[in-house]
Amino acid sequence: MPPTSSDSGSGSSRRSYSHAAAHLLLLSGMSLPAATAANAFRRSVNFGIGRGSSSRRGGAVSSAAFANFQHRRSATTETAPRSFAPHGGRSRSSLLVRPPTSALYSSTVSKEDSTTPTTTSENVDSQYDLSNASSGLSGTSYEPSSFESSVYQWWEDAGCFLPDAKQSAATSKAGGKEPYVLPMPPPNVTGRLHMGHAIFVALQDVLARFHRMRGRPVLWTPGTDHAGIATQLQVEKLLASEGKRRGTDEEIALAADDDDEKAKLVGREEFLERVWEYKEEQGGAITFQLRSLGASADWTRERFTMDPALSVGVSEAFCRLHEKGLVYRGTYMVNWSPGLMTAVSDLEVEYTEEEGKLYYFKYLVESDDEEGEPAADGEEYLAVATTRPETIFGDTAVCVNPEDDRYAHLVGKRALVPMSDSDGGKMRSIPIIADDYVDMEFGTGALKITPGHDPNDYEIGKKHSLEIMNVMNKDATMNSNAGARYEGLDRFEARGKLWEDMEEKGFVIKVEPHMQRVPRSQRGGEVIEPLVSKQWFVKTEGMGAKALEAVKGGDIQIVPQRFEKVWYGWLTDIRDWCISRQLWWGHRIPVWYVGTDSEEEYIVARNEEEARTKAVEAGHPADVVLRQEDDVLDTWFSSGLWPFATVGWPQDENADDPNSDLARFYPGTCLETGYDILFFWVARMVMLGIELTGVSPFQVIYLHGLVRAADNTKMSKTKGNVVDPLDTVGEYGADSLRYSLVTGVTPGQDIPLNMEKIAANKAFANKLWNCCKFVTDNALKDAGEEELASLGVTGPMGKEEFENLALPERYIISKCHELVASVTSDIEKYQLGAAGSKIYEFLWDQYADWYIEISKTRLYEGFGGGGDDAKTARRVLVYILDTSMRLLHPYMPYVTEQLWHHLPRAPKTDDMAANALMLADWPQMDDNAPLVTDKDAIATFEVFQALTRSIRNARAEYNVEQGKKISATIVASGHLKEAIEAEVKSLVMLAKLDPEQVAVVESGSEEAKEVSAGDSAQLVVQDGVEAYLPLSGLIDVEKEKARLEKQSTKLAKEIEKLAGRLQSKGFVDKAPPAVVDKARAELAELEDQASKVQSSLETL
C-alpha cells in the first residue's frame, strides 16, 4: 500500500504552502488565475507520484531482488489509506486517491466481485445526489475544476467501470449483447501524461461509454508497461549521481580486493532492487493522470507487464514459439546503443539530419608480385569516400558496379586496407568485387564494404561470402582489430587520430562538408552503431503471412482503410525480429545454458525447475550447473501478448469456464492506437495472437493521427510549442480538451491543436450548462412533484404522443431523432469526429437557438403560454436535453453527468451499479426500431425558420433599433399559412414584431394584393411565402435618406481618389504587383458599397 499523506516520503510534504492552498481553492470551486489554476491542478494530479498503483511484482525478473525489496518496504511503509481534505462539500478527488485494490491476479471475476465496489453503490449514489442535485444550478457557472474530480471518484467508487455495471452478465447474454473489449495501450509505468495519451483516452473512452450505454458489457483493460530501456536508463542515471554503475559478476570479482572500486559497482540483484524501488516511487502517476481525463477503464483489472501472471505468460509464449521452431539464436546485424549497452529496435532509433564530413582517401591496389606490396608511387589506387573513417579497419572488400568501365579491369584484384600495418608487418589485403548495388554516379563509384558495421554492407557481405570483422567493443571503443595504436580509443577519438595518421602517410585525398542522416538512440541520444551480434530472434515470415491474411480475409478491419496497403507492404517484406536486449530490467529470457562457461548447449524451459528436469532427461546429472541467459526480452514481446495475457492466458486456456475473463473477453473488439506503432506493436500483437491462441486478437484496428501544434508542425520542447494536457485540463476542463481532440478530424488524420479551439469548446460546455439552468431554474420551477416524476426519460417518445404535438415540438423531436440515428451509425462505423460535431451543431443551432426560445411562448403567460402548453414544453425540453446529453456523454462525460443529475430521472434498475448517466440507456437501443420522425414537419418548420431569418436580416439591413417592434404581413397559402398562423406568437417573439400589427393572409387574396402595392419592403422567403414590412415602421425615411446621401458622397470621394491613383501609369508600373492588386480590390469593395447605398436610396 502507498504511504499516507503524512508520510515523510509523500509528495504532499514536498509541495509548498502556496501550492497546497491553491489546490484547495481550486477544488472548492473558487476562482483562480488561469496559470495558478493550471499549476494547482497539475500538482493535484501529480500528487500520485511516489505511490505505485499496484503492489504486484514480476517474479520472473528476480525473486531474490523482489523479496529483498518487499522486506525493506514492509518495514518502512505505512499501509493505511491516505486521507484528504474535503473540497467544496463534494466527494474526494479521484485524481488523488489510490485506485481500488484487487487480487494479485484473478482471471475470473465473480458476480459479487464485479458489482460490489469499495463503498456500496446505493450509499455512493445517495451521497452524490445529496451533494450535487440538491445544490441546484441557480447562481452557478461552468467551472469544471469544481466537480470533475468528484464525479470521477463517484463513478469509480460505485463500480461504474466494471463490465457488468449496467446489467448482469446473464441479462446481457440473454439480450444478445456481446462484450465490447478495448485493450488500452499500456503507457510506460514511470511516464507522465502527454497529448499522445490524451488522444487515445479521448477516443477509446468515446467507444467504451457508447457501447456501455448501448448495453454491451464493456471491458477497457488498463495497465502499464515496464519500459525496459527507459526505466533502466533512469535508474542508471540515479546510480551515476551516486558515483556508482552496473557491474558484471566478473567486474565485481576482480574488484574484491579494492574496496573503493567495489563500492562503485552494483550487481544484478541489487540493481533490480533499486529499479523496483524507483518503479514504486515514480510509477503509478500516469494512471492517476489518465483518470483526470475521464478514462472509464476497469481499474480493478489494471495490469503491469511484469505482474507475476503476465510474466508466466511471457515465458509460456517464448517456450511455445521455440517448440514450434519459431525462436532461434543467431548472429545478425543489429542497432547497438553504446550508451545503453544493448541492441535496440528500429522504433528506438531516431534519424536526424546533421552536418558531418565526407572523407576521401586512397585504396591502393595490391601488386601482383609475390610480396603483395602496393604498386610503386603514382600507380593505381581507388578513390573511396566514407563518413566514418574509423570503420576502415573492418573493411573486407571494395565494391564497384559491374557496368562501370573505369574499374572493370580491377575487378578480381585486391586492395590494401590503409593503416592496417600500424603494428608493423604487411597491410591487410581485401578483394575488389563487382555488384550492381553500387551507384556509379554517387561519390567516386567505388564503395568500401564493412559488413560488420553497416546494414547494407552486411547484406552485400553475405551475398559475396565476405569476412565479417567487428572493430569495436560494446561501449563503442576500438578493439584489437583496429591495432594497438587505436585499441581502447573512443570511436570518434579514433576517427580523428586515424585521419591524421592517414594524412601523414599520404592516403588522404580531401574532406568535404556533408549532410547526413545520423541514427541516434531515442532514449540515450548517442549515435547508434550497427554491429553484428549474437541475439535471439523470432521467425516472422509465416506469422506475418497469417497476420496479412487476417486483414485481407476480413477477420480484422483497419480504420481508416488506406492503412491496409501499408500493412500488406510491411508484412510482405518482413524480417526476423530480434527479441533479446542486453538489459537487466525486464523479462529474463527463459533459457538455461548447461555447464559453467559454455553456451553451446542450452535448454528452453518455463522455469529453472523444468530446465533441470529437461537436463536430467538429456543425460546430465541432477546437480549439473545451469546458467540462465543474462539477456531480457524486448519490451514489445511482452506487450505483444497484452490482449490475451491480461485476461487470463495461458492460465485459463483450457479451463471449461464460460465466465472466465479469457472466455468472455477474448478475442477483443477494437484496438485503438496511433498509426506510428502499427508495426512495432499492433502487427506483433496480431502475429503473436494468431500463433499462440489460434484467433485474431481483435476485430478492428482503429488508428488515430498524431497531435500536432496549431500550425501542424510537430510539438517540440525545443520549439516551445508543446501543449501540456494537465495544464490544459486545469484551465479549460477535461471535456473541452477531449472534445477538441476528437472532433473536426477523420480517422488517421493528424490533429492540429490550438487553444482557441479548446476555448471555443469550453464555451460550448458553458452553453450546455446555461441550457440546463434554463430548464431547471425556469421551465421546471412551476412543475409539481407528480409532473416532475413523470418527466424522467425512460425511453424514446412514442408515435401517439409525438403526433399530438405542435409543429415546433414535432420539428425539434424529429431533428433530435434524426441526430440519434446519425450519431449511432457514425460511432458504430468509427466516424467519431463527425458524430461529435453533429451533436454540437444540434444543441447550439437547433435546441438552444430555436426551441428554447420558442418554449418561452409556451411556458410564460406573458407570451401567451401556460397550462397544458407549458406542460408539453417542459416534457419536450427535458426529453431533448436528456437525449442530447446521452449522445454527448461519451465525448464530454463530466459536464453531462453533472448536469443530468439536475434533471428529472427515472430510478435505476436493480442491476445498475448506480443511477448514472454513463450507465443510462442510449437513446436508440434497437437498430431495428427507428425513432419516430416527421419529414413534413421538418420541411414546414424550416420555412418558418427561413421566414424568421428574413425578417431579422431586414431589421439588420435597415438598422432597426434592437428593442423596436415592427409590423409585418405574411403572405402564404395552404398548410404553410396554417402553420405560420398557429405559431404567430413564436414569430412575434423571435422576429421582434408588434403582435397588434401582424397579419397572415392568403396568397392571391385582396389583402395580399393590397399589401404588395403599398410602401413596404418585400421579403421573398420561398415560392408561395412572402413577408411585407412597412417602411414607415422600419425607419424614419427622411432621416435615413440624409444618412445614406452623406454616406454616398463620402464613398464617391474615396472612389474618385483611388480610381485616379490606379489610372496613374507611374503607380501601376512602379508599385509592387501585390500593392496594385490590393488597391484594385479596395476599389471594387468601395464601388460595391456605393451601389448598395444607391439601391437603398432608390428604394426610399
Side-chain angles (χ1 to χ4, degrees), residues 274-285:
R274 292 292 299 268
V275 181
W276 279 115
E277 289 175 357
Y278 179 80
K279 182 264 181 188
E280 186 65 17
E281 291 168 0
Q282 300 295 319

Side-chain angles (χ1 to χ4, degrees), residues 69 143 145 178 195 241 302 312 318 343 457 526 617 646 673 693 714 763 767 792 846 954 958 979 985 991 1017 1040 1074:
F69 166 73
E143 294 292 342
S145 61
E178 292 295 322
M195 279 298 172
S241 69
E302 182 183 346
V312 167
F318 185 93
D457 292 2
E526 75 277 12
E617 290 173 353
T646 53
T673 191
T693 70
K714 186 177 181 180
K767 183 79 169 180
Q846 299 296 335
Y958 285 102
K985 61 182 181 182
E1040 181 66 9

